[in-house]
Amino acid sequence: MPDLSRLLQPKSIAVIGGGAWCASVVEQCRKMGFAGPVWPVHPKRTEVGGVAAFQRLEDLPDAPDAAFIGVNRNLTIDTVRHLRERGAGGAVCFASGFREAQAETGDGGDLQAQLLDAAGDMPIIGPNCYGFINYLDGALLWPDQHGGRRAERGVAVLTQSSNMAINITMQGRGLPLAYVATAGNQAQLGLAEIGTALLEDDRVTALGLHVEGVGDLRAFETLAHRARALGKPIVALKAGRSEQAQAAAVSHTASLTGSDAGARALLKRLGIAQVESLPALLETLKLLHFTGPLPSNRIVSMSCSGGEASLMADTAIGHDVTFPTLDGAQRQGLRDALGPMVALANPLDYHTFIWTDVPRMAATFGAMLGGDVSIGCLIADFPREDRCDPSAWDCIYHAGEEASRMTGKPLALVATLPDAMTEAVAERIIASGMVPLLGLDEALTAISAAAWLGQPRPDPAPLLHPGEPAELHTLSEAEAKAELAAHGVTIPAAKRAETETALTEAVREICAPLVIKAEGLAHKTEAGGVAFARDDTAAALAQAATMPCESWLVEEMIDGTVAELLIGVTRDPAHGYVLTLAAGGILTEIMGDSTSLLLPATEDEIAQALNSLRIAKVLRGYRGKPGADMAAIAQAVLAVQSYVAAHAGRLEEVEINPLICTETRAVAVDALITIGGNT
C-alpha cells in the first residue's frame, strides 16, 4: 500500500496553473488557515489567488508535499513527470480527457498510460477529479467553494463524483467532517487505497464511501481488513442498481459497476454497511462518529405524541431494529415519573403534561434507557427560530443530557422532519452529549447499520477472483452434469440416445418412472422438449419422436419432492464469483426469492443464506409436512463451489435448476455450464 501521508497531510502545497480553478485552491487554503507555504506556479503570471507565483517548478524552494495540477491533459503528463523527478509527495490531477473519455477522444487510454508512466511511484489522485479537503489541517487541494470548516476529529467521506463531494460539504446536519476526497477515474490510486490512507489518520473515526465501481478487489479486501484492525467502521452508498446508473458509471469514471447482487454480497462479506441514499449515509456516519458501532439492534423510542409513537413503529418495519417489551424496572421507573394515567409501551407516548418539568422528563427518559437496549430515540422537532420562541424546548436538552449521563447509554434526538432541526440545534444537541439525527427513516437506517457493524464477524477468506475467460462455449446438459458429479453433485441415473432405436433401449435400461429430455434446447418445457413417463413409456417415446432435437437424455424421475431450488454461480468481473440460491423450477421467476454470496463461502454462510429464503419454511417442513435434507442441499452447494474453484480462470457461469430436494437427498435434474477454452 503506497504511503499517502505527505499528499493527504501536506506541510507544503504547489498549485500549477493560473485559471480560476487554481486561484481557488490558493484562496481556499488561505481561508482555512493552512499553516504551510502555498506555491503557485505559472510561466507568465506574477501572482495567483493573491500569492506571488513562481515561473517554473524548478524555481520552488523545495519539493512540495502535495501539488494541484490545473493544466490541460497533455501538460498534466509533463508536470507529473517533473514533480516526480523533483521528489514531490504526490499530486491531484484535475484535467479530464483520459480513460473516462476514450470513447469521445479516441486517445484517452493512451494518455492515461503515459500519465501513469510519468508518475512512476509518486502517488496521484485522479485524473478528472477535484482532489480533497483536509479539514483537520486546513489543507485543500480543492478548486471550488465548499461548505465545511476546520475540525479536530471527524469522519472521512470519499467519492468518485466531485460534484457529490461538493454537495456533501454543504451538509448542515452536525456531522464533523475530517476529510472530503474524490477519486476521479482512479488511474493509479483507487477508492480502496485512498480510503485506507484516510483511515490511518488517528483523527478519523469512520469512513463513508460513494462507490460507482469497486476497481481492484484485492485492494478493497485490504481496506476492509485494515478498517477492522483499526476498529473503524465503513459505510457505503453503491451506485449501479439500475441500467442507467451502470451506463453513467462507465461513461463518467470508466468503472465497471458489476451486478447489484455482486456488490451487495461483496460489501456484506467485507463487513461494510450498505445504505441506499446520501442522507442515510451521512446520518449513519454521524451516529458512528458519536457512538461507534452499537452492541445490538434493541432500541427504545420516546415522544410526547401518540401519532409520533405510531409513526416510529410503522417506519421501523423493514429496518433491522427491535423495540423490546418494557421490563419490570423500566415500568416501575416510568410509573414513578408519569403516574398511573400513561399507557406504558415501547415506543412510548409520554404525553405533554411533563413538558418543561426537567426532573420528570429526565426520569422518564432514564427509565426507558435503563433496559436491555443499545440506544434511545427521543423524537423532537424544533420550532422555527425566525417565527417562534425556541426557549420552551430547552427542557429537552437538559433532560436528555441528564438521562444519557445517568444511564451511560447513547440518546439520539430524532427530528421527524429534517427541516425541524437546524445546524445550530444539531450543534447544541451534540454539546449536550446527545446525537442529532434527521428523519425517522434515516435514523433507523443508521441504527440498523451501526448495530450490524457492532456484531462480531470473522475475517473472510480471500475472494475467488473471476479471471477473464475467452472462447466461451456452453456444455450440453449431460456434459454439465458429469462435470458437476465429479465434484460431488448428485445427479439422476441417465443415458444419452442419438437415434430412436437407442432411445428405446435407453428407456428400457433406465426403467420407469423416467423423463425424456430433448438435448440442445434452452427452455425444454416451453418448447415441448420434456416427456414424463411414470408408467406408460410408449406415450413418452411417441412424444419424444416429435421433439425438435437430434438427441435425447433419458433420466430417472426423482420422486418425493419437498421443494425445488436453484443454485447458480455467475462470473461478475467487478466483484468475483456470485453464488445465487433461489426458489427453483417454475418458481424462480415468479417468486423472485433469492439471496447471493461471494465465493468462497463457508458451510455456515450457506446455511444462513438458505434460511433467509422465503421457501426455507418449506425446506424445513411446513404445516406438518416433511422437510428436505438440508445437509444434502448444503453439500450440493459446496460441490458446485468446488467445481468453480477448480475452473475459476475459465468459468463464466454454472446453474443447477432445479435441484430437487427430497427428505433424503438433493438431486440436480438440470444443469448448465458456460466455460472458456483458455487456460
Side-chain angles (χ1 to χ4, degrees), residues 537-559:
T537 57
L541 283 168
Q543 182 180 344
T546 67
M547 292 178 182
C549 64
E550 296 181 356
S551 60
W552 300 265
L553 187 64
V554 182
E555 288 185 342
E556 67 167 313
M557 185 183 296
I558 308 301
D559 283 327

Side-chain angles (χ1 to χ4, degrees), residues 173-394:
R173 296 168 173 265
L175 172 64
L177 295 170
Y179 291 89
V180 173
T182 64
N185 76 10
Q186 306 181 85
Q188 183 204 69
L189 296 174
L191 289 174
E193 292 87 355
I194 299 171
T196 302
L198 293 172
L199 286 175
E200 293 292 348
D201 192 320
D202 292 339
R203 301 165 293 178
V204 170
T205 57
L207 174 64
L209 299 175
H210 170 250
V211 183
E212 293 179 43
V214 168
D216 186 340
L217 275 174
R218 285 286 180 250
F220 236 80
E221 289 179 283
T222 299
L223 166 66
H225 178 79
R226 187 59 183 152
R228 284 192 295 274
L230 292 169
K232 297 183 180 182
I234 304 177
V235 186
L237 172 61
K238 175 68 174 70
R241 283 188 292 167
S242 65
E243 292 181 6
Q244 293 88 345
Q246 291 182 25
V250 171
S251 63
H252 180 53
T253 65
S255 298
L256 184 61
T257 61
S259 69
D260 182 54
R264 290 179 180 278
L266 175 66
L267 295 174
K268 182 178 180 181
R269 180 190 188 90
L270 297 182
I272 298 173
Q274 185 173 2
V275 296
E276 306 297 339
S277 71
L278 192 54
L281 177 68
L282 298 182
E283 293 305 298
T284 303
L285 287 171
K286 189 198 308 178
L287 181 63
L288 290 168
H289 171 77
F290 289 111
T291 70
L294 297 173
S296 78
N297 67 348
R298 296 166 63 85
I299 68 173
V300 290
S301 175
M302 300 157 278
S303 64
C304 61
S305 160
E308 289 173 341
S310 297
L311 187 60
M312 184 64 157
D314 288 347
T315 306
I317 296 173
H319 292 280
D320 188 16
V321 297
T322 62
F323 298 99
T325 302
L326 301 178
D327 62 27
Q330 286 173 300
R331 298 181 71 85
Q332 185 60 55
L334 290 171
R335 277 284 171 248
D336 291 345
L338 297 173
M341 301 302 293
V342 175
L344 304 183
N346 183 22
L348 174 71
D349 167 17
Y350 60 84
H351 295 201
T352 56
F353 71 90
I354 62 168
W355 191 261
T356 73
D357 188 337
V358 171
R360 293 181 75 180
M361 291 174 71
T364 298
F365 305 157
M368 289 291 283
L369 285 171
D372 179 16
V373 297
S374 65
I375 190 171
C377 295
L378 182 54
I379 311 301
D381 285 63
F382 293 83
R384 295 175 57 125
E385 294 187 7
D386 59 339
R387 300 177 184 173
C388 305
D389 178 6
S391 62
W393 268 252
D394 288 351

Side-chain angles (χ1 to χ4, degrees), residues 455-470:
Q455 302 313 299
R457 51 179 55 86
D459 284 350
L463 285 167
L464 188 61
H465 274 222
E468 297 181 5

Side-chain angles (χ1 to χ4, degrees), residues 1-9 89-90 121-123 189 197 200:
M1 189 67 67
D3 183 3
L4 306 186
S5 57
R6 284 182 68 195
L7 174 59
L8 294 175
Q9 296 107 35
D121 59 0
M122 183 186 76
L189 296 174
E200 293 292 348

